[in-house]
Amino acid sequence: MDMEKLRQGLRKLTENRNSIKLLAVIMIIITAFLFYGMKEKNDTITVSEGFPAAKEDAGERKSSSEGILYVDVGGAVARPGVYKMNSGDRVFEAIEKAGGLTKKADTSALNQAEEVKDGQKIQIPEKGETAGAPGTGTAENSLSASVSAPGDKININTADSTALQQISGVGPATAQKIIDYRTQNGPFKRIEDLKNVSGIGEKTFEKMKENITI
């Protein structure tokens, strides 16, 4: 066999092997790039805050015991809907999540500093509407303040200052103390808890108890 031809054949074989190795390295790099690129994309989750909570998973339905609350904000706000809140959040924060108040909103009877409660309905009336009128709804906070309870009793958990002053023995100062107390301590569990408010003793309570409810 011609030695020169043998050398040329070995040289071409070596070159082919080097080309195959180079091609294999390139394929490995491309495969690794595609694999890790897709994995990073799949592992990325975008969470939007401040929009209505349309769905809940099974764990979130136990929210009240875990510090997560859901409130329904309606009426004169930019984006009415159900919003996820944290325990200790205030009414004004729920309003902010709903896009804020509209120009027609009437906040005269609204206690924006009150803590929200799980399942609460916060209905913001428009100017010219009266609390509890058709279309305005009611809430567990002071929005439904002027609505009298059955039998014309005043609900001490929802009444605003004006409504509270309809109770015998309650003036502007005492009405504000009642509002401040429930804001700091939550709603009254029973009417007798009203005696925990500064300035309301046994005698004063006796005059009030026939006109109040919770």
Side-chain angles (χ1 to χ4, degrees):
M1 179 179 289
D2 191 331
M3 293 301 293
E4 182 60 31
K5 290 182 178 180
L6 180 60
R7 290 192 187 95
Q8 290 178 357
L10 291 174
R11 188 180 300 112
K12 289 181 179 179
L13 180 60
T14 302
E15 290 174 353
N16 289 337
R17 286 180 178 175
N18 290 337
S19 297
I20 292 172
K21 289 181 180 179
L22 179 59
L23 180 59
V25 171
I26 293 174
M27 291 299 294
I28 291 171
I29 293 174
I30 293 174
T31 301
F33 176 81
L34 292 174
F35 176 79
Y36 287 106
M38 291 180 67
K39 184 176 185 300
E40 180 179 358
K41 182 177 180 180
N42 291 336
D43 288 345
T44 301
I45 300 175
T46 302
V47 179
S48 298
E49 293 292 340
F51 288 92
K55 296 182 180 179
E56 338 170 334
D57 59 30
E60 287 179 334
R61 291 195 180 107
K62 299 179 181 179
S63 58
S64 59
S65 62
E66 299 173 357
I68 298 175
L69 313 174
Y70 287 92
V71 298
D72 186 355
V73 186
V77 291
R79 295 191 303 268
V82 177
Y83 290 86
K84 182 168 70 174
M85 309 293 294
N86 294 316
S87 179
D89 283 350
R90 308 286 175 162
V91 170
F92 77 89
E93 293 174 301
I95 293 172
E96 288 177 356
K97 284 199 171 187
L101 299 167
T102 66
K103 293 181 179 180
K104 296 181 179 180
D106 181 1
T107 60
S108 60
L110 173 62
N111 182 4
Q112 297 190 55
E114 185 174 358
E115 288 188 12
V116 298
K117 305 171 186 65
D118 188 42
Q120 182 176 6
K121 171 69 175 179
I122 302 175
Q123 186 77 14
I124 313 299
E126 294 185 355
K127 294 174 181 177
E129 293 178 342
T130 57
T136 64
T138 58
E140 291 181 19
N141 57 23
S142 57
L143 291 178
S144 56
S146 62
V147 181
S148 296
D152 293 326
K153 290 187 177 183
I154 304 298
N155 190 318
I156 57 177
N157 281 330
T158 61
D160 66 359
S161 178
T162 301
L164 288 170
Q165 290 178 55
Q166 297 176 20
I167 302 171
S168 176
V170 176
T174 302
Q176 188 58 48
K177 288 179 181 180
I178 293 172
I179 293 172
D180 292 342
Y181 180 88
R182 74 191 186 201
T183 299
Q184 296 170 9
N185 301 280
F188 295 99
K189 305 298 183 184
R190 52 182 191 156
I191 61 172
E192 287 78 11
D193 291 341
L194 202 59
K195 291 185 287 186
N196 296 328
V197 177
S198 175
I200 299 179
E202 188 66 41
K203 291 183 179 180
T204 303
F205 176 75
E206 287 297 319
K207 295 178 183 178
M208 301 166 61
K209 68 179 184 179
E210 298 300 326
N211 304 115
I212 61 176
T213 187
I214 55 174

